[in-house]
Amino acid sequence: MSAKKAADSKKKVVTKKTTKKTVKKTVSTPKKKAAPKKTTSKKTAEAKQPTTKKTISSKAKSESMSKKVSLPKKSYYFFGSGKAEGNGELRNLLGGKGANLAEMSSAGVPVPPGFTITTDVCRLYYDNALQVPKEIDKDLESYIAKIEKSTGKKFGDTTDPLLVSVRSGSIVSMPGMMDTVLNLGLNDATVEGLGVKTGNMRFALDNYRRFIQMFGNVVLSIDKELFEAAITKKKAERRIKQDSSLQINDLKDIVKKFKSIIKRKSGESFPDDPFTQLRLSRDAVFRSWNNPRAITYRRLHNIPAEAGTAVTIQAMVFGNMGNTSGTGVGFTRNPSTGAKEFYGEYLVNAQGEDVVAGVRTPQPIKQLKNDMPKMYKELVDITTKLEKHYKDIQDFEFTVQENKLFMLQTRDGKRTVQAAIKIAVDMVKEKLITKEDAIMRIDPHQLNQLLHPSIDPKAKIEVIAKGLPASPGAASGKVYFTAEDAVKFGAKEKVILVRDETNPDDIEGMVSSAGILTARGGMTSHAAVVARGMGKCCVSGAEAVRVNAKKKQFQIGKLIIKEGEVITLNGSTGQIILGKVPTIEPELSGEFNEYMDWADSFRTLKIRANSDTPADSLKAMKFGAEGIGLCRTEHMFFDEARIPIVQDMILATSAEDRQLALDKLLAYQKKDFKAIFDALDGYPVTIRTLDPPLHEFLPNKEDVAIKLENLDVKSDTFEEDEEKLKRTLVRIEELAELNPMLGHRGCRLGIVFPEITEMQTRAIIWAACQVAKNGTKVFPEIMIPLVGHVNEFKHQKAVVTRVADEIIGKSKTKDLKYMVGTMIEIPRAALTANEIAEEADFFSFGTNDLTQMAMGFSRDDAGKFLGKYVEDGILENDPFVSIDQSGVGQLIEMAVEKGRSVKPKIKLGICGEHGGDPDSIHYCHKVGLEYVSCSPFRVPIARLAAAQVAILEKKNSKAAKKTAKKK
């Protein structure tokens, strides 16, 4: 379909502003798959971006036009000339960019005028067969007229043309994930007018070729490398290296070549009509909401698909008008360290995309103080006010056009978690925010980034090059040169993604990589910003690195590093190191400890750790754990020295032989528990008796058969070895189960083999008595697993109390207290929790098994389909990651209610992996549990999440009281 027909189908919208005739043939709207309807899922199935360029079928158009679409009251919001129709309260409608531009404009900040098309229109665009409803589309020209009035320029005018940018803007900042079109409004006639008006034809043509290239790539999905190749070819012909050395005739040739590429690849001519350009670009930005990189980013950051993007159309200002012009990006504080310092980069005689795309390596923003002192002072003054207004670090973009400063954007800055904590603590001390604000400001998941390793200072290293320290941390891995290879090999091993510069399409590869190295780009390049947000180690702007992606290698001087070879990155110093280098655990900063102390002052939920060794227990305490909520004794049995003894116990044919093996294990278990009690220094320890089925401790059947077949008949121990291997094979057959997770495990083992429970109880209580004798308080909690019936618990409790009371009675620590409780991990246990609570001192919800049994999902096999369930919106979250509150949650709430109905002070906690998930922690607080238990490295996450839910509860309570008072 020609553009003329496409325009006819859109009510023949023709601009009055251009002096040229409307072109007979322009570019048609690419056909895209519509976004899905809203669902309750955070990760709704989303449309994928096709690469073909076809028009929407007539049938789809007629069907969409016949739909009755519910239109919003207002779809456009103007800003400029010190006024704005919107404000910061309208982020959901205007996106972060549009809302902040409106606020800046109202505050008198120099902002180029423009308007924002709301997220409502984005949703309508997808509901309306990828078209903006005609009732909304018709108002586009009147809002362009408002920009014309504010700037004194005319859109499409051949003497003083208005040029605009078209940008995306989500509610949550998604840097680089969606598309932008700059310099829109240029054609063969207006470029001449711009050249005459500015007295700089080279400047005008440079903007024209940039616009055609961006339009071809963003709107028409033409590979940008085709355009870059044309520029490279022209520079080679002229024997020049820099784009800035291209002359007027060179740029004219490039413009012709670019148009030829568009004609060849799209089948249609580049559109000269500015309003056609504008409508196609607006729609392309709406479509970019569902491009693959945006979908990936939303999935990683839990941004709902139905939120949509706003589109901001704004008058262009130019940083590429000579040495009195420039452009830059910056932060009001250092986004890597949090230091209170003006931070950023700029380029003289450049457009904004040149800075963030990493095409040229920019200058530090402090250098602007020397190059343009007046502009620097004005910029510092404005951004300082913006930080005070928004009460957070600001990430800003600016352009200087012939010694006049314009602010293009401000938003809350992405930062490392180290920086986030320092900034939050500092801002409390500066009285910008409260402690509650500081606690609510950081996503608990981000604390994972604090635990990244750093280079061991004692290690001998060979530094082969140095770049910019774009994102802290250290990472070693094999080098790969494409995002696809990083994804492919990153699933199996640590990889380092090496690129000239990354672009948003590399997002999946960046996610899969341990670290990122780029040869170009600065501290605010795409690689740097995205890596910091992910907590990935990154070194950017390593200009000594010569990347050859085709040969899959990079070169530094004479040194060549090929695909698959190992390097190490130090993201804190920018060093690139040959080979793998030892790393050390991070030391938590003073600000971190202060921040977490604030968090602890707000939370009511206790935080314990799942730990099976003294080393892990000490680590958990260092991270702020208040006890051990799950010590899995079976993990102690897999030690190389112990597994043969465990196997002897299993293979024993008599009670005497079994007891002999158990006595050997007893000595080990006593040491284990004493070391853990010593490490906990008075905090409670919940120890689970043996849980897994016995066959897990035996060797693989095939391995045993091979050993038996290969026995040396000449060996002195041949007969003994043969008999044992044969017995092992028989025992493996006897213990084999079709469904071992529901088989002979947990309390069922203790009932059939009570001597196992006796041995473990003896070790626990003996160790507790030894520690107590030394004057250390000790609180052992013995937990019986997989109880489904109260009689099972009674049986095991009787064994425990008999042995424990006997040992305590003989010791000098007769006042030692212990508890006996159970895991609630079988649905029947939750249903009969009142019966079990009459006997148990505590409940700990084993949510891994409880989820498995309640939902009928095998923990080992559900991974094959759960991703699809979440992607398609069948489930909101993976239930093994975040508690299924409406299903499994009912069992938890029932057990809490029934348990407390007979024993109001029964201790209640959770020890499944959900104990480290912030959403699940919020739920545990809501249902009234006393503690959550998680892996040691997730303890800080749990502490912060528990503080946040307590603050939210208090805030909501105050709001409810206030509302009730008004009524």
Side-chain angles (χ1 to χ4, degrees):
M1 178 185 279
S2 71
K4 186 176 185 301
K5 290 178 182 176
D8 287 342
S9 73
K10 293 184 178 181
K11 286 290 182 178
K12 297 183 180 178
V13 178
V14 180
T15 175
K16 297 180 290 184
K17 308 295 187 291
T18 181
T19 59
K20 294 201 93 177
K21 291 181 181 178
T22 305
V23 289
K24 291 181 180 178
K25 194 177 186 186
T26 55
V27 182
S28 55
T29 307
K31 182 178 181 181
K32 303 292 176 184
K33 183 179 174 185
K37 300 286 184 184
K38 292 183 187 179
T39 74
T40 56
S41 172
K42 287 181 184 175
K43 299 176 182 176
T44 310
E46 300 170 348
K48 291 189 177 179
Q49 181 99 337
T51 56
T52 55
K53 296 164 281 298
K54 299 177 183 176
T55 56
I56 301 170
S57 69
S58 300
K59 182 181 177 185
K61 287 183 179 180
S62 62
E63 285 176 352
S64 81
M65 292 307 177
S66 65
K67 276 192 203 173
K68 286 189 177 179
V69 179
S70 177
L71 300 176
K73 290 181 181 178
K74 188 171 176 61
S75 299
Y76 299 83
Y77 287 78
F78 179 78
F79 57 85
S81 304
K83 296 178 291 186
E85 295 175 347
N87 56 53
E89 302 287 318
L90 300 179
R91 289 183 72 87
N92 287 353
L93 276 178
L94 305 180
K97 183 184 270 96
N100 290 342
L101 284 168
E103 287 217 339
M104 284 197 292
S105 187
S106 295
V109 173
V111 171
F115 58 89
T116 299
I117 307 172
T118 68
T119 55
D120 282 343
V121 180
C122 178
R123 287 185 285 272
L124 284 172
Y125 174 80
Y126 280 103
D127 289 342
N128 197 43
L130 299 187
Q131 293 180 89
V132 173
K134 59 185 179 181
E135 298 88 345
I136 294 173
D137 183 72
K138 66 182 175 61
D139 292 332
L140 181 67
E141 296 181 32
S142 66
Y143 272 82
I144 285 290
K146 291 188 177 191
I147 301 180
E148 291 175 332
K149 183 179 178 181
S150 182
T151 60
K153 298 175 183 291
K154 294 290 182 181
F155 196 46
D157 188 62
T158 56
T159 57
D160 190 11
L162 168 68
L163 304 186
V164 299
S165 62
V166 183
R167 300 173 186 265
S168 61
S170 172
I171 299 168
V172 179
S173 175
M174 295 171 58
M177 296 301 113
M178 291 180 283
D179 291 329
T180 294
V181 178
L182 303 178
N183 304 316
L184 190 146
L186 284 171
N187 56 35
D188 289 348
T190 57
V191 73
E192 293 289 338
L194 181 64
V196 172
K197 180 68 179 176
T198 60
N200 189 341
M201 185 54 71
R202 191 202 174 281
F203 157 76
L205 285 165
D206 187 44
N207 286 330
Y208 194 20
R209 68 91 182 166
R210 289 169 182 265
F211 169 48
I212 298 171
Q213 179 175 356
M214 199 171 278
F215 187 91
N217 177 241
V218 170
V219 178
L220 304 177
S221 302
I222 298 171
D223 188 349
K224 62 185 175 185
E225 293 301 326
L226 293 173
F227 299 104
E228 289 293 339
I231 296 174
T232 302
K233 185 178 179 182
K234 175 58 70 174
K235 287 193 292 187
E237 287 173 5
R238 291 284 323 284
R239 297 182 180 180
I240 56 177
K241 292 185 177 181
Q242 301 298 326
D243 291 2
S244 57
S245 299
L246 293 166
Q247 300 303 306
I248 289 174
N249 286 335
D250 300 327
L251 291 168
K252 285 181 177 179
D253 288 344
I254 288 171
V255 165
K256 286 179 183 177
K257 182 62 177 174
F258 280 7
K259 286 188 173 185
S260 173
I261 291 170
I262 285 177
K263 176 75 174 176
R264 187 174 79 251
K265 288 295 178 179
S266 73
E268 303 190 38
S269 300
F270 174 77
D272 287 334
D273 175 51
F275 274 100
T276 301
Q277 297 172 356
L278 181 58
R279 286 184 165 90
L280 291 172
S281 297
R282 171 201 63 194
D283 293 354
V285 174
F286 278 144
R287 286 196 304 275
S288 74
W289 174 250
N290 269 349
N291 71 37
R293 63 181 184 265
I295 290 171
T296 297
Y297 192 91
R298 290 204 299 274
R299 186 185 74 239
L300 292 172
H301 296 274
N302 289 322
I303 301 169
E306 57 269 25
T309 181
V311 171
T312 294
I313 296 167
Q314 190 175 17
M316 285 291 301
V317 288
F318 300 99
N320 55 337
M321 291 185 71
N323 290 333
T324 60
S325 303
T327 189
V329 295
F331 295 82
T332 51
R333 303 189 189 218
N334 188 313
S336 288
T337 66
K340 191 174 182 180
E341 61 183 7
F342 204 46
Y343 180 97
E345 297 166 323
Y346 77 101
L347 284 168
V348 171
N349 195 21
Q351 285 199 324
E353 290 299 305
D354 296 336
V355 179
V356 296
V359 176
R360 291 164 57 188
T361 300
Q363 295 297 312
I365 203 166
K366 289 180 180 177
Q367 180 65 30
L368 187 65
K369 189 174 184 179
N370 298 325
D371 292 346
M372 301 179 186
K374 186 180 176 185
M375 296 299 97
Y376 180 80
K377 183 179 185 305
E378 188 178 351
L379 182 63
V380 171
D381 289 345
I382 289 171
T383 54
T384 300
K385 288 174 184 174
L386 288 173
E387 183 182 89
K388 286 181 179 176
H389 174 75
Y390 289 108
K391 301 182 186 301
D392 203 354
I393 175 179
Q394 291 302 289
D395 169 3
F396 56 86
E397 295 178 20
F398 68 94
T399 287
V400 177
Q401 178 177 304
E402 296 181 315
N403 290 320
K404 184 173 181 181
L405 175 68
F406 293 92
M407 299 301 296
L408 306 183
Q409 172 173 278
T410 192
R411 60 189 173 192
D412 292 346
K414 299 287 182 186
R415 69 212 83 171
T416 64
V417 69
Q418 292 97 327
I421 289 172
K422 178 169 176 53
I423 290 166
V425 171
D426 286 350
M427 285 189 169
V428 169
K429 293 176 179 178
E430 292 165 23
K431 302 193 184 315
L432 274 177
I433 60 174
T434 65
K435 288 181 180 178
E436 289 92 336
D437 294 331
I439 296 303
M440 297 304 297
R441 185 158 283 184
I442 295 174
D443 179 351
H445 288 294
Q446 283 185 288
L447 297 185
N448 271 323
Q449 297 176 24
L450 287 174
L451 309 175
H452 293 314
S454 58
I455 300 293
D456 187 342
K458 296 177 183 176
K460 291 183 178 179
I461 61 174
E462 183 179 349
V463 178
I464 54 177
K466 192 170 183 182
L468 300 173
S471 187
S476 297
K478 294 181 179 179
V479 300
Y480 290 96
F481 295 85
T482 67
E484 292 77 13
D485 283 342
V487 171
K488 179 181 176 182
F489 295 102
K492 308 169 190 173
E493 57 197 358
K494 298 284 187 184
V495 306
I496 303 292
L497 178 63
V498 180
R499 304 282 279 155
D500 261 324
E501 74 250 21
T502 63
N503 62 65
D505 291 326
D506 291 327
I507 182 75
E508 290 281 11
M510 296 174 79
V511 170
S512 300
S513 302
I516 299 146
L517 168 63
T518 68
R520 295 201 294 264
M523 298 290 282
T524 52
S525 65
H526 175 266
V529 171
V530 174
R532 279 198 296 269
M534 292 180 179
K536 299 275 184 184
C537 167
C538 177
V539 173
S540 65
E543 295 184 347
V545 173
R546 298 286 179 264
V547 178
N548 190 327
K550 286 185 179 178
K551 289 187 177 180
K552 296 189 175 182
Q553 65 182 42
F554 72 85
Q555 190 166 349
I556 300 169
K558 294 182 179 180
L559 176 67
I560 295 175
I561 305 292
K562 295 184 178 180
E563 182 184 81
E565 294 184 357
V566 177
I567 64 169
T568 297
L569 301 179
N570 187 339
S572 302
T573 65
Q575 291 174 322
I576 304 163
I577 303 165
L578 192 63
K580 187 175 180 180
V581 177
T583 57
I584 57 171
E585 295 296 325
E587 285 295 324
L588 299 175
S589 68
E591 281 98 353
F592 173 81
N593 292 326
E594 186 173 8
Y595 184 82
M596 295 309 297
D597 285 344
W598 293 350
D600 292 341
S601 71
F602 293 113
R603 66 179 169 87
T604 55
L605 203 59
K606 299 289 185 185
I607 310 299
R608 296 192 188 185
N610 300 338
S611 171
D612 317 315
T613 67
D616 281 350
S617 299
L618 285 169
K619 192 172 292 179
M621 299 304 289
K622 179 183 175 183
F623 288 145
E626 298 162 299
I628 300 301
L630 175 62
C631 177
R632 293 157 289 207
T633 54
E634 62 272 9
H635 287 192
M636 301 168 175
F637 291 166
F638 286 105
D639 179 83
E640 191 177 338
R642 306 180 192 192
I643 194 70
I645 303 171
V646 177
Q647 291 172 354
D648 286 345
M649 175 194 76
I650 296 168
L651 296 173
T653 54
S654 67
E656 291 78 11
D657 288 343
R658 186 176 302 110
Q659 190 60 54
L660 189 64
L662 287 170
D663 287 344
K664 291 179 183 177
L665 285 174
L666 176 63
Y668 284 113
Q669 291 265 271
K670 284 179 177 179
K671 291 178 183 177
D672 292 333
F673 297 134
K674 184 177 183 300
I676 289 174
F677 288 142
D678 282 333
L680 266 290
D681 195 25
Y683 282 101
V685 183
T686 303
I687 300 169
R688 182 178 71 187
T689 54
L690 195 63
D691 183 43
L694 293 178
H695 74 83
E696 287 193 10
F697 298 99
L698 293 176
N700 179 276
K701 181 180 177 182
E702 286 72 23
D703 292 343
V704 175
I706 291 170
K707 277 188 178 180
L708 183 61
E709 188 178 336
N710 294 326
L711 273 180
D712 183 0
V713 293
K714 295 179 181 179
S715 169
D716 293 340
T717 59
F718 171 75
E719 291 181 0
E720 182 184 338
D721 293 342
E722 182 185 45
E723 189 274 333
K724 185 173 182 178
L725 288 172
K726 284 181 178 179
R727 190 155 33 98
T728 301
L729 281 174
V730 170
R731 195 68 173 132
I732 289 172
E733 289 286 350
E734 291 173 349
L735 294 174
E737 294 177 310
L738 292 175
N739 194 342
M741 294 307 291
L742 298 179
H744 193 190
R745 54 172 285 224
C747 67
R748 301 159 194 173
L749 279 175
I751 289 169
V752 175
F753 302 113
E755 54 268 36
I756 296 176
T757 305
E758 287 180 9
M759 181 274 291
Q760 292 198 296
T761 303
R762 195 172 299 280
I764 293 166
I765 300 301
W766 177 89
C769 289
Q770 292 300 308
V771 172
K773 280 179 187 175
N774 296 332
T776 302
K777 289 184 179 179
V778 60
F779 299 99
E781 299 172 352
I782 299 173
M783 183 162 68
I784 311 300
L786 215 71
V787 166
H789 195 289
V790 65
N791 288 339
E792 290 175 314
F793 182 75
K794 283 180 178 179
H795 179 284
Q796 288 293 279
K797 181 183 176 183
V799 174
V800 171
T801 54
R802 173 173 54 79
V803 174
D805 292 347
E806 174 195 329
I807 294 170
I808 292 170
K810 293 178 180 178
S811 74
K812 296 178 181 178
T813 54
K814 293 183 171 51
D815 58 344
L816 177 72
K817 303 295 180 186
Y818 67 93
M819 299 175 76
V820 187
T822 186
M823 294 182 81
I824 302 294
E825 51 189 335
I826 292 179
R828 192 183 189 281
L831 296 170
T832 60
N834 53 319
E835 297 176 11
I836 299 172
E838 289 180 352
E839 298 289 333
D841 297 320
F842 65 89
F843 288 166
S844 181
F845 291 94
T847 48
N848 300 336
D849 271 333
L850 188 60
T851 297
Q852 176 173 243
M853 296 187 199
M855 300 194 74
F857 290 162
S858 164
R859 287 165 59 186
D860 298 323
D861 303 307
K864 296 173 184 175
F865 58 84
L866 277 179
K868 180 68 172 170
Y869 269 43
V870 173
E871 183 183 329
D872 288 354
I874 293 169
L875 291 177
E876 189 171 355
N877 295 295
D878 182 335
F880 291 108
V881 173
S882 194
I883 290 174
D884 166 42
Q885 297 181 21
S886 60
V888 177
Q890 287 194 53
L891 292 170
I892 294 173
E893 290 170 39
M894 184 185 298
V896 169
E897 184 181 344
K898 284 176 173 283
R900 284 187 172 146
S901 70
V902 297
K903 192 172 285 183
K905 292 187 177 180
I906 188 170
K907 185 182 284 190
L908 302 173
I910 179 176
C911 63
E913 277 305 304
H914 297 98
D917 169 61
D919 287 343
S920 301
I921 290 167
H922 281 222
Y923 176 74
C924 292
H925 176 97
K926 185 183 80 172
V927 299
L929 302 191
E930 290 180 43
Y931 69 87
V932 298
S933 189
C934 56
S935 67
F937 283 97
R938 298 184 85 184
V939 166
I941 295 172
R943 290 166 66 192
L944 181 55
Q948 289 179 347
V949 69
I951 290 169
L952 277 175
E953 184 180 63
K954 188 177 178 181
K955 184 179 178 181
N956 293 339
S957 176
K958 280 184 179 178
K961 286 178 182 176
K962 196 173 181 181
T963 303
K965 224 175 193 181
K966 285 181 180 178
K967 289 180 180 179

